[in-house]
């Protein structure tokens, strides 16, 4: 997003570009990052519903939605997805939090 | 109404990533879940508070639908005004009448417990009594988190906050929390309910019921706060789950005055189990504070008992 001059801004603090926060990358807040182990994934969508940052990438084109991975631009590394991921309880975690090397 | 994740995942995410909520914020997730059910035809109003701040840090907005930022005390008035203006414009032929239910315009106001239990209760009460077709959502994290964890009337007994701290003189908040949900039930509005973001199906059902009840509705949603409650950031949804299992936050709804408890734990877990996980209650487990723990348990049991009685009474 390019910065505007004061005269070009809409009055009253109105933001005219709906959803432009998507341009703001919160990925650099992370210390840990979820590592996706596709072979263990049952595509249940729990990670998707519980993520606070809309950072789960899902392919909805087919009959059954497919978890594709993490959207690293926005994932803050909270680990909620890995905590709620059901296969982890059976020792076959599909999401594992690892320290991110930058 | 889509009630499987397989269906819901096809809905557009109307709260984008890139908002500035803390990592692991269940509040941002609550809003996201609400919008997945409400859809793009929604005018959302946010009272000053965490969720308003983090989703609309100028010049960015995380909302893909219409959003109005309002002051701490008046979001219910703002949204009731928007709803009235919409109806008036329809009446005067300036806007088309919504034909099918899918074209319905939703009006939702939200505030935290500070903006709802305390500061915004007057505007909320007025809007509910006037009968606007709107939903008010309170995300209850039990303190003024946005300004530095000051106590609110929603803060539970014993919790450490910056204005009711636990130290050598006092041991956290000395009062029990206010039962705002009951105050809203007393407004005799068509729909009042409590839920949590862990119970996504319950939440989606209640949002849909609230939006389609034809009048004012109120949803009180528990919002575990990693910073203010002091638990690891990946635990928010589990804390919400356990709040229901311990009866601290029962899932129930009141439709036209009739109570329904949506989940009755088979075996109630002790409230101490839930409190133990949160740093705000750490002092409660110190020797000498046993009576605090007893009181916390008694209070939960008493509230649950009352709820059971209300359910029985209104279903006779
Ligand atoms: S929660 Fe786990 S199993 Fe379910 S879709 Fe996500 S990664 Fe796959
Ligand atoms: S770590 Fe947190 S922010 Fe990242 S994808 Fe998982 S739930 Fe979303």
């Amino acid at each position: 997003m390019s910065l505007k001059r004061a005269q070009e801004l809409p009055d009253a603090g109105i933001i005219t570009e709906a959803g432009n926060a998507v341009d703001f990358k919160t990925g650099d807040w992370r210390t840990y990052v979820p590592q996706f182990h596709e072979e263990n994934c049952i595509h249940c969508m729990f990670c998707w519903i519980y993520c606070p940052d809309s950072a789960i990438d899902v392919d909805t084109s087919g009959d059954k939605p497919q978890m594709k991975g993490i959207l690293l631009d926005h994932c803050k590394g909270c680990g909620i997805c890995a905590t709620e991921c059901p296969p982890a309880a059976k020792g076959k975690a599909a999401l594992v939090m690892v320290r991110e090397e930058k | 109404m889509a009630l499987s994740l397989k269906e819901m995942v096809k809905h557009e995410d109307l709260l984008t990533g890139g908002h500035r909520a803390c990592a692991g914020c269940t509040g941002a997730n609550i809003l996201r879940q609400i919008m997945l059910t409400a859809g793009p035809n929604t005018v959302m109003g946010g009272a000053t508070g965490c969720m308003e701040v983090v989703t609309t840090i100028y010049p960015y907005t995380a909302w893909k639908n219409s959003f109005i930022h309002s002051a701490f005390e008046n979001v219910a008035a703002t949204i009731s005004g928007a709803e009235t203006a919409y109806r008036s414009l329809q009446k005067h032929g300036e806007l088309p009448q919504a034909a099918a239910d899918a074209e319905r315009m939703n009006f939702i106001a939200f505030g935290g417990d500070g903006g709802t239990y305390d500061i915004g209760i007057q505007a909320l009460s007025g809007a509910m009594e006037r009968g606007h077709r709107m939903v008010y959502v309170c995300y209850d994290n039990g303190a003024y988190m946005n300004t530095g964890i000051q106590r609110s009337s929603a803060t539970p007994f014993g919790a450490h906050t910056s204005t009711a701290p636990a130290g050598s003189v006092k041991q956290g908040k000395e009062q029990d929390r206010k039962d705002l949900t009951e105050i809203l039930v007393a407004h005799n509005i068509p729909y009042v309910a409590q839920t949590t973001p862990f119970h996504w199906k319950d939440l989606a059902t209640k949002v849909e019921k609230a939006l389609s009840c034809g009048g004012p509705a109120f949803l009180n949603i528990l919002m575990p706060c990693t910073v203010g409650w002091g638990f690891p950031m990946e635990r928010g949804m589990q804390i919400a789950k356990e709040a229901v299992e311990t009866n601290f936050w029962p899932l129930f709804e009141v439709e036209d005055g009739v109570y329904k408890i949506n989940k009755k734990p088979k075996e109630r877990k002790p409230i101490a189990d839930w409190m133990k996980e949160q740093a705000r209650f750490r002092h409660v487990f110190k020797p000498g504070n046993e009576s605090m723990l007893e009181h916390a348990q008694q209070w939960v049991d008493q509230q649950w008992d009352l709820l059971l009685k209300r359910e029985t009474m209104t279903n006779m």
Side-chain angles (χ1 to χ4, degrees), chain A residues 1 15 17-22 24 26 29 44 46 48-54 63 65 74 76-79 83-84, chain B residues 5-6 8-9 15 17-21 24-25 29 32 36 58-63 197-198 200 233-234 237-238:
Chain A
M1 174 194 253
I15 305 169
E17 294 158 71
N20 64 357
V22 81
F24 191 90
T26 48
W29 295 15
C44 63
F46 278 20
W48 169 81
I49 191 74
Y50 289 131
C51 174
D53 292 279
S54 318
D63 183 42
H74 294 132
K76 292 170 186 160
C78 67
T83 305
E84 304 303 330
Chain B
L5 288 179
K6 193 178 142 186
M8 259 164 81
V9 76
L15 187 79
H19 61 71
R20 253 67 78 76
C25 175
N29 180 266
R32 221 193 114 219
L36 283 168
Y58 196 78
Y60 295 100
T61 174
W63 299 94
F198 175 79
W200 59 267
M233 60 186 169
E234 72 275 13
M237 294 297 166
Q238 290 300 307

Side-chain angles (χ1 to χ4, degrees), chain B residues 42-261:
Chain B
T42 299
V43 178
M44 196 76 156
T48 298
C50 289
M51 287 305 113
E52 166 272 315
V53 171
V54 301
T55 57
T56 54
I57 290 185
Y58 196 78
Y60 295 100
T61 174
W63 299 94
K64 287 199 193 167
N65 55 297
S66 308
F67 179 82
I68 312 174
H69 167 211
S70 147
F72 235 134
E73 64 274 32
N74 61 347
V75 68
T78 304
I79 290 301
S80 71
E83 187 262 349
T84 307
Y86 185 78
R87 266 193 292 118
S88 170
L89 288 169
Q90 277 185 325
K91 193 168 141 193
H92 293 97
E94 310 266 349
L95 279 174
Q97 300 283 340
D101 202 41
E103 289 166 36
R104 172 190 72 197
M105 186 60 88
N106 301 318
F107 294 90
I108 307 179
F110 70 82
D113 50 290
T116 308
Y117 283 68
D118 295 351
I119 306 175
I121 193 169
Q122 179 187 342
L124 169 61
S125 179
M128 296 288 114
E129 187 270 337
R130 288 193 301 275
H132 297 275
R133 195 177 60 72
M134 63 178 273
V135 179
Y136 191 103
V137 177
C138 174
Y139 61 93
D140 181 346
N141 55 24
Y144 290 79
M145 301 310 183
N146 180 42
T147 48
I149 321 176
Q150 291 85 4
R151 88 189 270 293
S152 78
S153 57
T155 306
F157 168 81
H160 165 92
T161 57
S162 56
T163 47
S168 52
V169 181
K170 302 225 172 175
Q171 296 297 307
K173 191 180 169 188
E174 294 176 328
Q175 299 80 12
D176 292 316
R177 62 194 304 281
K178 175 158 95 190
D179 193 346
L180 183 70
T181 311
E182 277 311 309
I183 296 177
L184 269 297
V185 172
H187 281 69
N188 296 318
I189 53 179
Y191 193 71
V192 176
Q194 277 195 182
T195 186
T196 92
F198 175 79
H199 304 85
W200 59 267
K201 199 179 233 180
D202 188 77
L203 191 150
T205 311
K206 285 172 178 171
V207 169
E208 181 52 36
K209 278 190 178 181
L211 288 170
S212 56
C213 74
F218 176 79
L219 298 176
N220 207 353
I221 309 187
L222 186 72
M223 194 218 109
C225 168
T226 162
V227 178
W229 296 13
F231 58 80
M233 60 186 169
E234 72 275 13
R235 295 278 307 157
M237 294 297 166
Q238 290 300 307
I239 301 267
K241 177 176 171 239
E242 287 158 21
V244 174
E245 291 169 346
T246 54
N247 287 343
F248 175 81
W249 194 265
L251 299 183
F252 70 97
E253 60 191 340
V254 186
E255 267 178 279
D256 295 317
V258 180
Y259 282 71
K260 180 167 190 236
I261 304 174

